[in-house]
Amino acid sequence: MEVKIGVQNAPREIVIESSQTAEEVADAVDKALDGSSKVFTLADEHGRRVIVPSERLAYVEIGETASRKVGFGNL
C-alpha cells in the first residue's frame, strides 16, 4: 500500500510502498504522536526503513492496497 509522509520544514513528502497493513501503520503513527515512541519507523516492500523523528511528523496519508492489473482493458 502507498504511504505518504509529510515532514515539517521539508519541501517534499516521502512516498513509499509498504507491505505493512493499514492498522500497523496507524498504530505506529499513534505511538509516535502520543509520545511513547520518539521516532516514526516504516518499512517498504524491499526491506528499507524510513525513520522520521516524531516531533517533525506533519502528516501520514495511508492509501489503499493497490491491485496490479495485467493486460489491456478499458479504463
Side-chain angles (χ1 to χ4, degrees):
M1 91 176 38
E2 183 179 76
V3 178
K4 295 180 183 180
I5 304 167
V7 181
Q8 295 177 9
N9 302 323
R12 294 176 35 183
E13 63 190 10
I14 300 168
V15 180
I16 66 169
E17 287 291 327
S18 178
S19 59
Q20 294 175 306
T21 65
E23 291 81 23
E24 291 172 337
V25 175
D27 288 341
V29 172
D30 287 341
K31 288 179 185 176
L33 294 179
D34 73 3
S36 62
S37 176
K38 297 199 183 284
V39 293
F40 171 67
T41 304
L42 192 63
D44 72 357
E45 290 180 338
H46 303 289
R48 294 176 288 211
R49 295 185 344 180
V50 175
I51 301 171
V52 179
S54 297
E55 67 270 2
R56 297 290 179 204
L57 196 61
Y59 65 89
V60 177
E61 182 179 318
I62 304 170
E64 294 181 11
T65 304
S67 61
R68 300 187 184 250
K69 297 180 182 178
V70 178
F72 299 98
N74 294 339
L75 297 177

